[in-house]
Amino acid sequence: MVNRAQISLKIRQGFILVFVLIVALPALFFSIGRAYYATLVDATEKTLEAHLYSLISEVDFVTMEMPNSILAPELNRLNSDTYALIYQQNALVWHSESAMNLTVTPDISQSKAGAAEFERVEYNQELYWQLSMTVILGNASHSQQAKFILLKKNSALVAQMAQFRNTLVNWMLVMGVMIAALMAFGFIWSARPLQRLDKEIKAVEAGESDKISGLYPVELNTIKADLNLLLDSQRRQKERYRASLSDLAHALKTPLAVLKSSPLAENADAQEQLDRINAMIEHQLKRAASGASDTWKKQTQVQPVVNSILNAMTKVYHDKQISFSTKCPQEAAFLGDKTDLMEILGNLIDNACKACSSQVDIEVKYNQNKGVRFIISDDGPGIPEQNRSTLLQRGTRLDTYESGHGVGMAIVSDLVSSYHGSIDIDYSQLGGAQFTIEFSYEQNQ
Protein backbone atom coordinates (compact mmCIF):
# COMPACT_ATOMS: atom_id res chain seq x y z
CA MET A 1 0.00 0.00 0.00
CA VAL A 2 1.40 3.40 -1.04
CA ASN A 3 1.94 5.92 1.75
CA ARG A 4 -0.04 9.12 1.19
CA ALA A 5 3.18 11.11 1.63
CA GLN A 6 4.68 9.26 -1.36
CA ILE A 7 1.86 10.11 -3.80
CA SER A 8 3.28 11.81 -6.88
CA LEU A 9 2.71 15.54 -7.36
CA LYS A 10 1.29 14.75 -10.81
CA ILE A 11 -1.26 12.40 -9.27
CA ARG A 12 -2.21 15.01 -6.67
CA GLN A 13 -2.63 17.61 -9.41
CA GLY A 14 -4.73 15.09 -11.34
CA PHE A 15 -7.00 14.57 -8.32
CA ILE A 16 -7.54 18.33 -8.07
CA LEU A 17 -8.31 18.55 -11.79
CA VAL A 18 -10.75 15.64 -11.61
CA PHE A 19 -12.46 17.25 -8.61
CA VAL A 20 -12.80 20.55 -10.45
CA LEU A 21 -14.14 18.93 -13.64
CA ILE A 22 -16.43 16.34 -12.02
CA VAL A 23 -17.58 18.12 -8.84
CA ALA A 24 -16.91 21.86 -8.93
CA LEU A 25 -17.98 22.62 -12.51
CA PRO A 26 -21.23 20.56 -12.35
CA ALA A 27 -22.07 22.21 -9.01
CA LEU A 28 -21.43 25.60 -10.59
CA PHE A 29 -23.58 24.58 -13.57
CA PHE A 30 -26.59 23.69 -11.41
CA SER A 31 -26.12 26.76 -9.20
CA ILE A 32 -26.09 29.09 -12.19
CA GLY A 33 -29.08 27.25 -13.66
CA ARG A 34 -31.14 27.65 -10.51
CA ALA A 35 -30.17 31.30 -10.21
CA TYR A 36 -31.14 31.94 -13.84
CA TYR A 37 -34.50 30.18 -13.39
CA ALA A 38 -35.19 32.30 -10.30
CA THR A 39 -34.35 35.37 -12.36
CA LEU A 40 -36.78 34.25 -15.09
CA VAL A 41 -39.59 33.81 -12.52
CA ASP A 42 -38.86 37.23 -11.04
CA ALA A 43 -38.81 38.81 -14.50
CA THR A 44 -42.11 37.07 -15.32
CA GLU A 45 -43.71 38.52 -12.20
CA LYS A 46 -42.55 42.03 -13.05
CA THR A 47 -43.72 41.67 -16.67
CA LEU A 48 -47.18 40.46 -15.64
CA GLU A 49 -47.34 43.25 -13.09
CA ALA A 50 -46.60 45.81 -15.79
CA HIS A 51 -49.31 44.29 -18.01
CA LEU A 52 -51.74 44.40 -15.08
CA TYR A 53 -51.29 48.11 -14.42
CA SER A 54 -51.44 48.81 -18.14
CA LEU A 55 -54.84 47.05 -18.32
CA ILE A 56 -56.13 48.92 -15.27
CA SER A 57 -55.15 52.20 -16.88
CA GLU A 58 -56.91 51.36 -20.16
CA VAL A 59 -60.19 49.87 -18.87
CA ASP A 60 -63.42 51.88 -19.10
CA PHE A 61 -64.72 51.97 -15.55
CA VAL A 62 -68.39 52.28 -16.59
CA THR A 63 -68.80 49.87 -19.49
CA MET A 64 -65.88 47.57 -18.61
CA GLU A 65 -64.70 47.84 -22.18
CA MET A 66 -61.10 47.74 -23.39
CA PRO A 67 -59.69 49.33 -26.51
CA ASN A 68 -59.26 47.05 -29.53
CA SER A 69 -55.47 47.18 -29.23
CA ILE A 70 -53.76 47.42 -25.90
CA LEU A 71 -50.20 48.45 -25.23
CA ALA A 72 -48.78 44.97 -24.45
CA PRO A 73 -48.02 43.21 -27.78
CA GLU A 74 -47.94 39.80 -26.10
CA LEU A 75 -51.64 40.16 -25.25
CA ASN A 76 -52.59 41.17 -28.80
CA ARG A 77 -50.95 38.19 -30.49
CA LEU A 78 -53.09 35.09 -31.02
CA ASN A 79 -51.69 31.89 -29.49
CA SER A 80 -49.23 33.85 -27.39
CA ASP A 81 -47.98 32.34 -24.14
CA THR A 82 -49.31 35.30 -22.10
CA TYR A 83 -53.01 35.85 -21.39
CA ALA A 84 -55.16 38.48 -19.66
CA LEU A 85 -58.65 37.92 -18.23
CA ILE A 86 -61.09 40.18 -16.35
CA TYR A 87 -63.85 38.75 -14.18
CA GLN A 88 -66.73 40.61 -12.59
CA GLN A 89 -69.19 38.90 -10.29
CA ASN A 90 -67.65 35.53 -11.22
CA ALA A 91 -68.33 36.13 -14.91
CA LEU A 92 -65.72 36.68 -17.64
CA VAL A 93 -66.29 40.20 -18.99
CA TRP A 94 -63.12 40.57 -21.08
CA HIS A 95 -60.12 38.64 -22.36
CA SER A 96 -57.12 39.52 -24.45
CA GLU A 97 -56.72 38.51 -28.09
CA SER A 98 -54.11 35.97 -27.02
CA ALA A 99 -56.70 34.20 -24.83
CA MET A 100 -59.12 33.65 -27.71
CA ASN A 101 -58.50 29.89 -27.71
CA LEU A 102 -57.71 29.54 -24.03
CA THR A 103 -59.73 26.70 -22.49
CA VAL A 104 -58.70 27.00 -18.85
CA THR A 105 -60.87 28.41 -16.08
CA PRO A 106 -58.75 30.25 -13.52
CA ASP A 107 -59.54 30.46 -9.85
CA ILE A 108 -61.73 33.57 -9.50
CA SER A 109 -62.37 33.44 -5.78
CA GLN A 110 -62.44 36.88 -4.28
CA SER A 111 -59.33 38.18 -2.55
CA LYS A 112 -58.43 41.29 -0.67
CA ALA A 113 -58.83 44.33 -2.90
CA GLY A 114 -55.58 45.92 -4.05
CA ALA A 115 -53.39 42.96 -3.11
CA ALA A 116 -51.54 41.30 -6.00
CA GLU A 117 -50.99 37.56 -5.73
CA PHE A 118 -48.28 35.85 -7.81
CA GLU A 119 -48.12 32.05 -7.79
CA ARG A 120 -47.59 28.97 -9.90
CA VAL A 121 -50.84 27.17 -10.69
CA GLU A 122 -51.87 24.14 -12.67
CA TYR A 123 -54.83 24.10 -15.09
CA ASN A 124 -55.65 21.11 -17.28
CA GLN A 125 -52.35 19.44 -16.32
CA GLU A 126 -50.35 22.42 -17.54
CA LEU A 127 -48.39 24.82 -15.35
CA TYR A 128 -48.87 28.59 -15.44
CA TRP A 129 -47.54 31.55 -13.56
CA GLN A 130 -50.51 33.62 -12.42
CA LEU A 131 -50.74 37.21 -11.22
CA SER A 132 -54.17 38.18 -9.90
CA MET A 133 -55.55 41.32 -8.29
CA THR A 134 -59.01 42.40 -7.18
CA VAL A 135 -59.58 46.13 -7.85
CA ILE A 136 -62.45 48.52 -7.17
CA LEU A 137 -63.51 50.37 -10.33
CA GLY A 138 -65.63 53.51 -10.45
CA ASN A 139 -66.06 56.54 -8.19
CA ALA A 140 -67.59 57.43 -4.88
CA SER A 141 -71.19 57.24 -6.19
CA HIS A 142 -70.78 54.21 -8.40
CA SER A 143 -68.15 51.49 -7.80
CA GLN A 144 -67.77 47.83 -8.55
CA GLN A 145 -65.17 45.09 -8.07
CA ALA A 146 -63.31 43.34 -10.84
CA LYS A 147 -60.66 40.65 -10.75
CA PHE A 148 -57.78 40.94 -13.18
CA ILE A 149 -55.93 37.69 -13.95
CA LEU A 150 -52.77 37.43 -16.06
CA LEU A 151 -51.30 34.05 -17.00
CA LYS A 152 -47.91 33.06 -18.37
CA LYS A 153 -47.21 29.50 -19.51
CA ASN A 154 -44.43 27.84 -17.50
CA SER A 155 -43.38 26.04 -20.69
CA ALA A 156 -42.18 29.40 -22.02
CA LEU A 157 -39.80 29.69 -19.07
CA VAL A 158 -38.75 26.06 -19.52
CA ALA A 159 -37.92 26.72 -23.19
CA GLN A 160 -35.79 29.74 -22.24
CA MET A 161 -34.15 27.68 -19.51
CA ALA A 162 -33.31 24.86 -21.97
CA GLN A 163 -31.77 27.35 -24.39
CA PHE A 164 -29.76 28.90 -21.56
CA ARG A 165 -28.56 25.48 -20.38
CA ASN A 166 -27.38 24.56 -23.87
CA THR A 167 -25.39 27.76 -24.02
CA LEU A 168 -24.12 27.18 -20.47
CA VAL A 169 -23.02 23.62 -21.27
CA ASN A 170 -20.95 24.90 -24.23
CA TRP A 171 -19.30 27.51 -22.04
CA MET A 172 -18.68 24.99 -19.27
CA LEU A 173 -16.93 22.71 -21.76
CA VAL A 174 -14.78 25.62 -22.88
CA MET A 175 -14.07 26.50 -19.24
CA GLY A 176 -13.20 22.87 -18.47
CA VAL A 177 -10.66 22.77 -21.29
CA MET A 178 -9.22 26.13 -20.27
CA ILE A 179 -9.01 25.13 -16.58
CA ALA A 180 -7.30 21.84 -17.49
CA ALA A 181 -4.83 23.69 -19.72
CA LEU A 182 -4.15 26.37 -17.09
CA MET A 183 -3.68 23.78 -14.33
CA ALA A 184 -1.30 21.77 -16.54
CA PHE A 185 0.64 24.95 -17.35
CA GLY A 186 0.60 25.97 -13.68
CA PHE A 187 1.90 22.56 -12.60
CA ILE A 188 4.71 22.62 -15.17
CA TRP A 189 5.61 26.18 -14.21
CA SER A 190 5.51 25.40 -10.48
CA ALA A 191 7.43 22.12 -10.85
CA ARG A 192 10.23 23.65 -12.92
CA PRO A 193 12.13 25.04 -9.87
CA LEU A 194 11.82 21.62 -8.19
CA GLN A 195 13.21 19.95 -11.31
CA ARG A 196 16.13 22.38 -11.37
CA LEU A 197 16.77 21.76 -7.68
CA ASP A 198 16.66 17.99 -8.25
CA LYS A 199 19.10 18.39 -11.14
CA GLU A 200 21.52 20.37 -8.97
CA ILE A 201 21.27 17.81 -6.14
CA LYS A 202 22.08 15.01 -8.61
CA ALA A 203 25.05 17.04 -9.84
CA VAL A 204 26.28 17.27 -6.24
CA GLU A 205 25.77 13.52 -5.79
CA ALA A 206 27.71 12.83 -8.99
CA GLY A 207 30.59 15.04 -7.81
CA GLU A 208 30.05 17.57 -10.64
CA SER A 209 29.28 20.42 -8.23
CA ASP A 210 29.98 21.21 -4.59
CA LYS A 211 27.02 23.53 -3.84
CA ILE A 212 23.54 24.54 -4.97
CA SER A 213 23.77 27.92 -6.65
CA GLY A 214 20.61 28.37 -8.76
CA LEU A 215 17.95 31.04 -8.27
CA TYR A 216 14.75 29.67 -6.72
CA PRO A 217 11.38 30.97 -5.46
CA VAL A 218 11.12 32.24 -1.90
CA GLU A 219 9.58 28.96 -0.70
CA LEU A 220 12.68 26.99 -1.81
CA ASN A 221 15.33 29.44 -0.63
CA THR A 222 15.27 28.00 2.90
CA ILE A 223 15.76 24.47 1.57
CA LYS A 224 18.58 25.70 -0.66
CA ALA A 225 20.29 27.42 2.28
CA ASP A 226 19.91 24.34 4.52
CA LEU A 227 21.32 22.03 1.85
CA ASN A 228 24.33 24.28 1.24
CA LEU A 229 24.89 24.51 4.99
CA LEU A 230 24.80 20.72 5.22
CA LEU A 231 27.23 20.41 2.30
CA ASP A 232 29.65 22.88 3.88
CA SER A 233 29.47 21.08 7.22
CA GLN A 234 30.06 17.71 5.57
CA ARG A 235 32.97 19.10 3.57
CA ARG A 236 34.63 20.60 6.65
CA GLN A 237 34.14 17.36 8.59
CA LYS A 238 35.70 15.36 5.77
CA GLU A 239 38.69 17.68 5.64
CA ARG A 240 39.19 17.29 9.40
CA TYR A 241 39.02 13.50 9.02
CA ARG A 242 41.62 13.57 6.27
CA ALA A 243 43.95 15.78 8.28
CA SER A 244 43.59 13.65 11.41
CA LEU A 245 44.07 10.40 9.49
CA SER A 246 47.12 11.75 7.76
CA ASP A 247 48.63 12.72 11.10
CA LEU A 248 47.73 9.34 12.61
CA ALA A 249 49.21 7.39 9.69
CA HIS A 250 52.42 9.40 9.88
CA ALA A 251 52.62 8.96 13.67
CA LEU A 252 52.16 5.17 13.52
CA LYS A 253 54.37 4.55 10.50
CA THR A 254 57.73 5.13 12.20
CA PRO A 255 57.13 3.16 15.48
CA LEU A 256 55.75 0.21 13.55
CA ALA A 257 58.71 0.22 11.17
CA VAL A 258 61.11 0.24 14.14
CA LEU A 259 59.34 -2.72 15.76
CA LYS A 260 59.35 -4.74 12.53
CA SER A 261 63.10 -4.21 12.11
CA SER A 262 63.94 -4.97 15.73
CA PRO A 263 65.12 -8.39 17.02
CA LEU A 264 61.63 -8.83 18.47
CA ALA A 265 60.26 -9.28 14.95
CA GLU A 266 62.47 -12.36 14.42
CA ASN A 267 60.04 -14.31 16.57
CA ALA A 268 57.32 -15.83 14.36
CA ASP A 269 54.55 -15.15 16.85
CA ALA A 270 55.67 -11.55 17.34
CA GLN A 271 55.89 -11.04 13.58
CA GLU A 272 52.36 -12.39 13.20
CA GLN A 273 51.09 -9.98 15.85
CA LEU A 274 52.87 -7.05 14.19
CA ASP A 275 51.28 -7.99 10.86
CA ARG A 276 47.89 -8.15 12.54
CA ILE A 277 48.46 -4.74 14.15
CA ASN A 278 49.44 -3.32 10.77
CA ALA A 279 46.34 -4.85 9.12
CA MET A 280 44.09 -3.54 11.91
CA ILE A 281 45.53 -0.03 11.57
CA GLU A 282 44.94 -0.03 7.81
CA HIS A 283 41.45 -1.43 8.35
CA GLN A 284 40.45 1.27 10.85
CA LEU A 285 41.97 4.04 8.74
CA LYS A 286 40.07 2.91 5.67
CA ARG A 287 36.88 2.53 7.64
CA ALA A 288 37.16 6.03 9.14
CA ALA A 289 37.95 7.53 5.73
CA SER A 290 35.08 5.66 4.08
CA GLY A 291 32.94 7.76 1.79
CA ALA A 292 29.93 5.70 2.90
CA SER A 293 29.59 7.84 6.01
CA ASP A 294 29.24 10.95 3.87
CA THR A 295 25.83 12.51 3.70
CA TRP A 296 26.20 12.95 -0.07
CA LYS A 297 27.19 9.87 -2.02
CA LYS A 298 28.84 10.11 -5.40
CA GLN A 299 27.78 7.90 -8.24
CA THR A 300 30.52 5.52 -9.28
CA GLN A 301 30.29 3.66 -12.58
CA VAL A 302 30.74 -0.05 -11.85
CA GLN A 303 32.06 -1.37 -15.16
CA PRO A 304 35.39 0.58 -15.15
CA VAL A 305 36.06 -0.54 -11.56
CA VAL A 306 35.40 -4.21 -12.37
CA ASN A 307 37.58 -4.02 -15.49
CA SER A 308 40.41 -2.42 -13.50
CA ILE A 309 40.27 -5.11 -10.80
CA LEU A 310 40.14 -7.97 -13.32
CA ASN A 311 43.08 -6.49 -15.22
CA ALA A 312 45.11 -6.51 -12.00
CA MET A 313 43.96 -10.03 -11.02
CA THR A 314 44.94 -11.37 -14.46
CA LYS A 315 48.48 -10.19 -13.90
CA VAL A 316 48.71 -11.29 -10.25
CA TYR A 317 47.35 -14.81 -10.91
CA HIS A 318 48.91 -15.27 -14.32
CA ASP A 319 50.22 -18.72 -13.38
CA LYS A 320 46.73 -20.05 -12.53
CA GLN A 321 45.35 -19.01 -15.94
CA ILE A 322 41.97 -18.15 -14.43
CA SER A 323 39.01 -17.83 -16.78
CA PHE A 324 36.96 -14.74 -15.85
CA SER A 325 33.28 -14.38 -16.87
CA THR A 326 31.76 -10.92 -16.48
CA LYS A 327 28.18 -9.67 -16.84
CA CYS A 328 27.86 -5.98 -16.06
CA PRO A 329 25.37 -3.47 -17.55
CA GLN A 330 27.11 -0.40 -18.90
CA GLU A 331 24.76 1.92 -16.97
CA ALA A 332 25.31 0.17 -13.61
CA ALA A 333 26.26 2.68 -10.90
CA PHE A 334 27.17 2.46 -7.23
CA LEU A 335 25.99 5.26 -4.92
CA GLY A 336 29.21 5.63 -3.02
CA ASP A 337 32.91 6.33 -3.13
CA LYS A 338 34.99 4.69 -5.85
CA THR A 339 37.69 3.68 -3.34
CA ASP A 340 35.15 1.86 -1.19
CA LEU A 341 33.77 -0.04 -4.18
CA MET A 342 37.29 -1.08 -5.23
CA GLU A 343 37.99 -2.21 -1.65
CA ILE A 344 34.82 -4.35 -1.54
CA LEU A 345 35.08 -5.91 -5.00
CA GLY A 346 38.87 -6.14 -4.84
CA ASN A 347 38.81 -8.23 -1.65
CA LEU A 348 36.02 -10.51 -2.88
CA ILE A 349 37.51 -11.11 -6.33
CA ASP A 350 40.99 -11.59 -4.85
CA ASN A 351 39.62 -14.19 -2.42
CA ALA A 352 37.79 -15.92 -5.27
CA CYS A 353 40.99 -16.04 -7.32
CA LYS A 354 42.90 -17.57 -4.41
CA ALA A 355 40.22 -20.20 -3.76
CA CYS A 356 39.24 -21.11 -7.36
CA SER A 357 40.60 -23.89 -9.53
CA SER A 358 40.23 -22.12 -12.86
CA GLN A 359 36.92 -20.20 -13.03
CA VAL A 360 35.65 -16.95 -11.47
CA ASP A 361 32.32 -15.35 -12.44
CA ILE A 362 31.33 -11.75 -11.73
CA GLU A 363 27.71 -10.71 -12.34
CA VAL A 364 26.25 -7.26 -11.71
CA LYS A 365 22.48 -6.70 -11.62
CA TYR A 366 21.34 -3.08 -11.66
CA ASN A 367 18.06 -1.22 -11.31
CA GLN A 368 18.23 2.56 -11.14
CA ASN A 369 15.30 2.80 -8.72
CA LYS A 370 15.94 -0.32 -6.61
CA GLY A 371 19.69 -0.75 -6.33
CA VAL A 372 22.70 -2.80 -7.42
CA ARG A 373 23.71 -6.41 -6.71
CA PHE A 374 27.15 -8.01 -7.08
CA ILE A 375 27.50 -11.79 -7.37
CA ILE A 376 31.06 -13.25 -7.23
CA SER A 377 31.33 -17.01 -7.77
CA ASP A 378 34.26 -19.43 -7.99
CA ASP A 379 34.82 -23.15 -8.61
CA GLY A 380 36.88 -23.70 -5.47
CA PRO A 381 36.06 -25.86 -2.42
CA GLY A 382 33.39 -23.45 -1.13
CA ILE A 383 32.64 -22.42 2.45
CA PRO A 384 30.83 -24.85 4.79
CA GLU A 385 27.45 -23.56 5.95
CA GLN A 386 28.35 -23.76 9.64
CA ASN A 387 31.33 -21.44 9.10
CA ARG A 388 29.61 -18.70 7.07
CA SER A 389 28.16 -16.71 9.97
CA THR A 390 31.50 -16.45 11.76
CA LEU A 391 33.50 -15.62 8.62
CA LEU A 392 32.39 -11.96 8.79
CA GLN A 393 32.90 -11.60 12.53
CA ARG A 394 35.61 -9.36 13.84
CA GLY A 395 38.72 -11.17 15.13
CA THR A 396 38.30 -14.32 13.04
CA ARG A 397 41.72 -15.80 12.27
CA LEU A 398 42.68 -15.87 8.64
CA ASP A 399 43.49 -19.56 8.68
CA THR A 400 40.11 -20.64 10.08
CA TYR A 401 38.60 -21.34 6.64
CA GLU A 402 39.67 -22.74 3.34
CA SER A 403 42.50 -21.03 1.54
CA GLY A 404 41.47 -17.78 -0.11
CA HIS A 405 38.48 -16.91 2.09
CA GLY A 406 38.59 -14.69 5.14
CA VAL A 407 41.27 -12.26 3.96
CA GLY A 408 39.90 -8.73 4.21
CA MET A 409 36.35 -9.93 4.89
CA ALA A 410 36.11 -7.84 8.07
CA ILE A 411 36.87 -4.75 6.01
CA VAL A 412 34.30 -5.78 3.39
CA SER A 413 31.67 -6.44 6.05
CA ASP A 414 32.17 -3.05 7.71
CA LEU A 415 32.09 -1.18 4.40
CA VAL A 416 28.93 -2.96 3.24
CA SER A 417 27.24 -2.29 6.60
CA SER A 418 28.15 1.39 6.45
CA TYR A 419 26.29 1.61 3.11
CA HIS A 420 23.32 -0.28 4.62
CA GLY A 421 24.00 -3.21 2.29
CA SER A 422 23.81 -6.96 2.86
CA ILE A 423 26.13 -9.94 2.33
CA ASP A 424 24.95 -13.45 1.54
CA ILE A 425 27.25 -16.49 1.30
CA ASP A 426 26.20 -19.66 -0.49
CA TYR A 427 27.45 -22.38 -2.84
CA SER A 428 27.79 -21.34 -6.46
CA GLN A 429 26.72 -23.24 -9.56
CA LEU A 430 30.42 -23.69 -10.27
CA GLY A 431 30.71 -25.73 -7.08
CA GLY A 432 32.62 -23.21 -4.98
CA ALA A 433 31.62 -20.19 -2.92
CA GLN A 434 29.23 -17.47 -4.02
CA PHE A 435 29.21 -14.03 -2.39
CA THR A 436 26.16 -11.80 -3.05
CA ILE A 437 26.50 -8.14 -2.06
CA GLU A 438 23.33 -6.06 -2.40
CA PHE A 439 22.77 -2.31 -1.94
CA SER A 440 19.14 -1.17 -1.94
CA TYR A 441 18.35 2.44 -2.91
CA GLU A 442 14.58 2.34 -2.25
CA GLN A 443 15.01 3.15 1.43
CA ASN A 444 16.88 6.34 0.48
CA GLN A 445 14.10 7.71 -1.72
Side-chain angles (χ1 to χ4, degrees), residues 197-212 231 238 295-301 333-338 368:
L197 180 61
D198 180 65
K199 187 176 180 180
E200 283 206 67
I201 291 175
K202 288 182 178 178
V204 172
E205 290 178 347
E208 299 172 0
S209 176
D210 57 359
K211 65 180 299 184
I212 298 173
L231 286 170
K238 196 169 185 178
T295 303
W296 300 89
K297 302 180 179 69
K298 298 180 180 180
Q299 285 193 0
T300 300
Q301 296 300 312
F334 169 69
L335 289 184
D337 189 75
K338 181 179 179 181
Q368 185 176 2

Side-chain angles (χ1 to χ4, degrees), residues 124-182:
N124 295 341
Q125 297 182 344
E126 186 169 0
L127 293 175
Y128 295 86
W129 289 96
Q130 175 180 293
L131 178 67
S132 60
M133 178 185 285
T134 299
V135 299
I136 300 175
L137 304 175
N139 50 41
S141 61
H142 181 268
S143 64
Q144 53 186 334
Q145 286 189 350
K147 185 164 186 175
F148 288 73
I149 297 178
L150 287 95
L151 298 172
K152 175 85 171 183
K153 281 186 176 180
N154 185 64
S155 59
L157 275 68
V158 172
Q160 293 182 60
M161 190 66 196
Q163 184 179 2
F164 173 77
R165 282 180 174 171
N166 290 335
T167 303
L168 186 60
V169 165
N170 294 333
W171 278 107
M172 284 293 177
L173 291 175
V174 173
M175 286 179 61
V177 173
M178 291 180 63
I179 289 174
L182 287 174

Side-chain angles (χ1 to χ4, degrees), residues 43-44 47-48 51 70-84 96-99 150-153 156 160:
T44 298
T47 301
L48 294 181
H51 292 342
I70 57 180
L71 294 177
E74 296 177 353
L75 300 178
N76 292 325
R77 189 171 63 249
L78 191 63
N79 296 326
S80 171
D81 55 21
T82 307
Y83 315 100
S96 63
E97 289 289 335
S98 59
L150 287 95
L151 298 172
K152 175 85 171 183
K153 281 186 176 180
Q160 293 182 60

Side-chain angles (χ1 to χ4, degrees), residues 329-344:
Q330 187 173 3
E331 70 276 9
F334 169 69
L335 289 184
D337 189 75
K338 181 179 179 181
T339 304
D340 293 336
L341 180 61
M342 293 194 70
E343 186 74 28
I344 294 171

Side-chain angles (χ1 to χ4, degrees), residues 395-407:
T396 300
R397 291 178 59 85
L398 303 185
D399 55 357
T400 302
Y401 301 104
E402 297 290 340
S403 174
H405 293 295
V407 179

